[in-house]
Amino acid sequence: RAVSAGFFSLVFIALGVLVVFIWRRPTRRVSECIAAMPVQSFVLGLLTFLIAAVLEAFALVLLILIILVAAALISTVILIPIGLLLILLSVLVLLPVPIALAGGIILGWVALAELVGRKAIKLLNAGYVQPLGATLVGLIITVPIAALLWIVSPLCCGWPFIILFTSVGLGAVFHTRFGTQPCQKPAPAGDKDLLPAAAMDEEAGLPDEETGGTP
């Protein structure tokens, strides 16, 4: 377990560096969202894990039904090709949710690692560091912790830490639509009646409309 944890840690660090190198702007948006809304991101991340588990359960039930139908078609001899095609296509039912979840987890972890790296560099007074360097520092800090807990005991230490840690980044990933949009913080209660900045610019200089009567 120690050898596998060390190997996968190195692979994940290399993958994280590659992600921030290719998708630097989306990673930065997710990182800024984590810093702006940590609690909301954490709650949304946990809900995402729960929703993904429910969707996979429904997909598994659908997969079983498709396999039963395919088995019935295969028994007719004439419809064997259709039955085999259904069995091959049924596997695709289980793929979308895990692929999207894995992509969100990786991007969220890398974005959170960039934030952790920037905080660590700031504490060390190391000056300005490029996002790639900050992410590398954050990965070197966070990944070995997960690997160590995995070596000690995966069930009671490793998996809970990974789920809780990745929930923060995963929620921010979905807040920003995988880093394609800036993070939008909820407006304070007193600002609900205020117009957006774009609408205020459009109305600037326009006279107020008359509500009725003669001035």
Side-chain angles (χ1 to χ4, degrees), residues 114-191:
E114 181 187 352
L115 182 62
V116 172
R118 282 193 275 122
K119 296 292 184 181
I121 292 170
K122 185 177 180 181
L123 289 175
L124 296 175
N125 294 323
Y128 176 76
V129 178
Q130 293 290 336
L132 184 61
T135 303
L136 181 59
V137 172
L139 289 171
I140 293 175
I141 294 174
T142 57
V143 174
I145 295 175
L148 179 61
L149 294 176
W150 180 269
I151 294 172
V152 173
S153 182
L155 294 179
C156 76
C157 301
W159 277 115
F161 173 80
I162 292 174
I163 292 175
L164 294 176
F165 186 79
T166 55
S167 293
V168 182
L170 184 61
V173 167
F174 283 96
H175 266 302
T176 59
R177 308 296 189 272
F178 278 80
T180 58
Q181 298 179 5
C183 185
Q184 297 180 355
K185 296 180 64 176
D191 296 339

Side-chain angles (χ1 to χ4, degrees), residues 24-48:
R24 181 173 300 180
R25 182 170 295 178
T27 304
R28 189 59 183 270
R29 286 174 177 167
V30 177
S31 179
E32 291 174 351
C33 188
I34 296 173
M37 301 191 307
V39 177
Q40 296 92 327
S41 298
F42 176 72
V43 173
L44 181 58
L46 289 179
L47 289 176
T48 302

Side-chain angles (χ1 to χ4, degrees), residues 25-144:
R25 182 170 295 178
T27 304
R28 189 59 183 270
R29 286 174 177 167
V30 177
S31 179
E32 291 174 351
C33 188
I34 296 173
M37 301 191 307
V39 177
Q40 296 92 327
S41 298
F42 176 72
V43 173
L44 181 58
L46 289 179
L47 289 176
T48 302
F49 275 115
L50 180 60
I51 293 172
V54 173
L55 290 177
E56 277 299 282
F58 280 116
L60 184 60
V61 173
L62 182 60
L63 175 65
I64 294 173
L65 293 177
I66 294 175
I67 291 176
L68 291 177
V69 172
L73 294 175
I74 291 175
S75 64
T76 61
V77 180
I78 299 177
L79 299 177
I80 287 179
I82 298 178
L84 293 176
L85 182 61
L86 282 177
I87 293 177
L88 292 176
L89 294 178
S90 63
V91 180
L92 300 178
V93 176
L94 297 175
L95 293 180
V97 173
I99 291 176
L101 189 64
I105 288 174
I106 293 173
L107 180 58
W109 191 309
V110 173
L112 185 56
E114 181 187 352
L115 182 62
V116 172
R118 282 193 275 122
K119 296 292 184 181
I121 292 170
K122 185 177 180 181
L123 289 175
L124 296 175
N125 294 323
Y128 176 76
V129 178
Q130 293 290 336
L132 184 61
T135 303
L136 181 59
V137 172
L139 289 171
I140 293 175
I141 294 174
T142 57
V143 174

